Amino acid sequence: MKNSILVLDFGSQYNQLIARRVRDMGVYAEVVPCNISIDELKSYQPIGIILSGGPSSVFAENAISIDPNIFNLNIPILGICYGMQLTAHLLGGKVEKGVKGEYGKSKFKILKPCKIFENISEESIVWMSHFDEVVQVPYGFEIGGKSSAEIASFFDEEKKIYALQFHPEVSHSEEGSKILENFVFKVCEALKNWKLTNFLDEEIQKIRDKVGDKKVILGLSGGVDSSVAAVLIHRAIGDQLTCIFVDTGLLRWKEAEMVMQSYGEYFDINIIKIDAKERFFKKLEGVSDPEEKRKIIGHEFIAVFDEESSKIEGAAFLAQGTIYPDVIESQSIKGPSAVIKSHHNVGGLPKEMNLKLLEPLRELFKDEVRKVGLELGIPHELVYRHPFPGPGLGIRILGEVTPDKVEILQKADHIFIEELRNADWYDKVNQAFVVLLPVKSVGVMGDERTYEYTAVVRSADTVDFMSATWSKLPYELLENVSSRIINEVKGINRVAYDISSKPPATIEWE
């Protein structure tokens, strides 16, 4: 931990992505609140500090700030976006409200060489997302580069303080990873001494210390996240863990049978199956709002666990496979990040429940979770199964959820996944599914008029699920999928393909 980089969280959607990029270099990184005290910060003994971006403005009332003494600790600092503006503001530079802002891809030109720009092209494409801009650097600092803004970077090599207006952590910044590497290794002089096995050893010990002799109940869905969480917790506390698999009626085609069979074959874990289909459908009657659906499903899920926990003597914890993209989209985890939507295992939890939460994967991205799963010995076909949202098909059926609609969607989704596997495309994309729209259109089948639902096929390519592009599937594959769904699924007469990226869209429709 003494070789660590601290990321101060000012609420950027990408703050944990910064930490992930650093971890990928073999250096431990951790996200901490931006209002951390100097004494607590020093207790980490970091070799470098990164100030994240954020949605705020240094001019806003109650603007988020930090103790200026952080710049006197003789610890290398890199300010990103809001972190750059705050650095300028606190050290005597000048920040002004922008006229039009700078968003998306932009051309960055290096004006003055420095350590973080070593072996970086003089001009490159970077990812911008800011409105305010720095118009004067602090005394003693030099302008490092420009974009459409005259000052897109500044630095003081002697003080080892650097600032970037763009986001080097996102893949859209062509040489962003190299810039971060330069900061981590050339400026902070970090050693490559961290890997996921370190995380495993530490998390297993944390679980043991937190749980003690109590029992843990885990909501097992059969998806990657809950599977990895289950095996990790079981590795730590053994039979103190009981997994509860709830058939909500909102699962994929024959999901319940697959989950019980897979876990019976691969894992020696206590599993209880609960059939709660009627209970969930009744609660969802007449409900169309996506947030309300998510919260109803989440509340009902927890209610089931509360009921079951009363039957298990000593049960004190509810374990979940929550991962970081769930958290960052649902609430501000350590800083003032913008809420995008609630996830049933994050924002949908009731304020009061009888069980304490245990979420060992909460700070990991999907690709890191998969690596942990392989380290734990989980079979490849389960680890690399496409993710499935906690609320299930409840958020893939737009509008009211009914048993009939679920059956229609299950069949359509099964056909899509089957065709992806047949065409050897399943492992080439990261998430694929079908959405059922509350829209009917006219069609013709066998010379007869039809008036049926529209299905939307969605396939996304992504590394961390924080950003994604739509999959460029072959036309022949899409044609086969469309033909089979329309001909084999009664209730659908039109199929569309979603070609939206994230952002601005999310991967799921609700």
Side-chain angles (χ1 to χ4, degrees):
M1 297 307 140
K2 293 180 181 179
N3 186 57
S4 66
I5 303 289
L6 287 188
V7 180
L8 269 59
D9 178 5
F10 290 93
S12 169
Q13 296 296 329
Y14 304 121
N15 51 28
Q16 191 75 9
L17 187 53
I18 302 170
R20 179 182 167 275
R21 295 291 185 228
V22 177
R23 290 181 200 170
D24 285 346
M25 299 172 196
V27 177
Y28 182 72
E30 184 171 339
V31 179
V32 297
C34 58
N35 59 357
I36 186 172
S37 70
I38 290 292
D39 288 340
E40 187 178 356
L41 188 148
K42 286 163 64 175
S43 71
Y44 283 89
Q45 297 182 294
I47 59 170
I49 297 169
I50 298 178
L51 310 179
S52 83
S56 187
S57 165
V58 295
F59 303 112
E61 186 178 352
N62 299 320
I64 309 154
S65 192
I66 53 175
D67 187 333
N69 288 316
I70 193 173
F71 297 104
N72 299 322
L73 296 176
N74 200 29
I75 299 173
I77 292 176
L78 173 64
I80 295 174
C81 196
Y82 181 77
M84 168 174 162
Q85 295 168 13
L86 187 61
T87 299
H89 183 66
L90 293 176
L91 295 181
K94 189 175 181 181
V95 182
E96 290 185 352
K97 289 186 177 293
V99 177
K100 59 179 180 179
E102 191 177 16
Y103 300 95
K105 291 183 179 180
S106 182
K107 185 177 290 186
F108 173 72
K109 182 177 181 179
I110 296 174
L111 299 177
K112 183 81 172 179
C114 64
K115 281 191 176 181
I116 65 171
F117 294 148
E118 285 186 16
N119 301 315
I120 302 299
S121 303
E122 183 180 348
E123 290 191 4
S124 63
I125 299 298
V126 297
W127 187 260
M128 292 285 191
S129 183
H130 69 102
F131 192 78
D132 296 348
E133 57 185 64
V134 176
V135 295
Q136 182 181 318
V137 301
Y139 177 78
F141 283 76
E142 298 184 81
I143 298 174
K146 62 179 291 185
S147 58
S148 61
E150 289 300 314
I151 303 176
S153 172
F154 63 81
F155 64 89
D156 185 326
E157 293 265 49
E158 187 177 344
K159 293 181 178 178
K160 296 184 179 180
I161 299 175
Y162 302 81
L164 303 169
Q165 188 58 73
F166 58 89
H167 289 270
E169 70 273 22
V170 302
S171 59
H172 304 295
S173 292
E174 292 176 342
E175 300 192 68
S177 292
K178 289 182 183 178
I179 293 173
L180 284 176
E181 284 181 11
N182 284 341
F183 176 73
V184 171
F185 296 114
K186 294 183 184 297
V187 178
C188 300
E189 299 180 352
L191 301 175
K192 291 187 177 184
N193 64 354
W194 186 84
K195 51 187 177 180
L196 280 173
T197 50
N198 298 105
F199 166 82
L200 278 175
D201 294 340
E202 291 170 9
E203 200 60 38
I204 286 171
Q205 190 57 51
K206 282 182 186 177
I207 293 168
R208 288 172 179 162
D209 293 343
K210 185 172 184 177
V211 173
D213 60 356
K214 303 295 183 182
K215 292 184 179 179
V216 177
I217 298 174
L218 181 138
L220 187 64
S221 68
V224 178
D225 305 332
S226 67
S227 297
V228 174
V231 177
L232 175 59
I233 294 170
H234 186 258
R235 178 77 61 89
I237 61 173
D239 289 342
Q240 288 172 248
L241 171 68
T242 298
C243 291
I244 298 178
F245 173 64
V246 180
D247 186 351
T248 63
L250 306 172
L251 305 175
R252 287 174 283 200
W253 179 256
K254 296 186 176 179
E255 181 89 358
E257 295 91 327
M258 187 281 295
V259 168
M260 298 306 292
Q261 182 179 354
S262 295
Y263 281 84
E265 181 179 348
Y266 292 120
F267 307 110
D268 184 24
I269 299 175
N270 299 326
I271 307 173
I272 298 172
K273 178 185 174 184
I274 300 172
D275 186 343
K277 291 191 288 289
E278 290 186 15
R279 175 174 180 165
F280 277 82
F281 283 128
K282 185 174 181 180
K283 289 286 184 179
L284 290 168
E285 280 181 11
V287 179
S288 297
D289 180 76
E291 279 297 283
E292 191 176 351
K293 284 194 291 185
R294 281 178 175 271
K295 286 180 172 155
I296 286 172
I297 294 168
H299 184 275
E300 221 37 46
F301 219 88
I302 301 305
V304 171
F305 278 93
D306 267 352
E307 292 170 12
E308 288 304 313
S309 67
S310 65
K311 304 173 186 177
I312 301 175
E313 187 177 350
F317 291 88
L318 167 64
Q320 299 188 130
T322 306
I323 65 173
Y324 193 74
D326 299 338
V327 177
I328 199 65
E329 288 188 342
S330 297
Q331 63 186 39
S332 175
I333 176 175
K334 290 178 175 175
S337 57
V339 175
I340 297 172
K341 58 187 176 184
S342 66
H343 289 256
H344 89 285
N345 53 346
V346 185
L349 292 175
K351 292 181 179 179
E352 295 182 9
M353 60 183 188
N354 298 330
L355 302 173
K356 298 177 183 177
L357 278 179
L358 183 64
E359 298 174 313
L361 310 178
R362 187 180 177 89
E363 304 243 349
L364 297 185
F365 284 84
K366 181 69 72 173
D367 60 316
E368 292 180 312
V369 172
R370 287 193 164 114
K371 289 175 185 176
V372 169
L374 293 176
E375 287 281 348
L376 290 167
I378 302 175
H380 184 277
E381 61 269 24
L382 291 181
V383 170
Y384 280 89
R385 194 172 185 224
H386 289 181
F388 188 63
L393 300 183
I395 59 167
R396 291 180 179 175
I397 296 172
L398 274 62
E400 184 183 9
V401 178
T402 66
D404 290 343
K405 288 181 182 178
V406 169
E407 184 177 358
I408 290 171
L409 183 54
Q410 283 176 332
K411 292 177 179 178
D413 188 76
H414 174 68
I415 288 172
F416 182 33
I417 299 303
E418 190 172 68
E419 285 299 315
L420 283 173
R421 292 189 185 280
N422 291 342
D424 197 28
W425 267 87
Y426 183 81
D427 290 328
K428 296 177 184 177
V429 302
N430 301 103
Q431 188 167 2
F433 55 91
V434 177
V435 175
L436 190 67
L437 301 186
V439 175
K440 289 188 175 183
S441 63
V442 174
V444 57
M445 299 181 74
D447 294 328
E448 292 187 6
R449 178 186 183 276
T450 63
Y451 191 61
E452 307 289 1
Y453 289 111
T454 298
V456 178
V457 173
R458 174 73 154 150
S459 181
D461 299 333
T462 180
V463 173
D464 47 46
F465 288 83
M466 294 297 289
S467 62
T469 58
W470 58 279
S471 307
K472 311 304 187 289
L473 299 179
Y475 289 156
E476 184 179 359
L477 171 56
L478 290 172
E479 185 178 27
N480 289 341
V481 170
S482 176
S483 177
R484 282 196 60 192
I485 290 176
I486 291 172
N487 283 284
E488 297 178 30
V489 182
K490 186 177 180 181
I492 295 175
N493 69 356
R494 190 177 299 272
V495 174
Y497 187 46
D498 182 350
I499 59 170
S500 307
S501 294
K502 175 185 179 178
T506 52
I507 294 178
E508 296 286 348
W509 276 49
E510 290 190 340

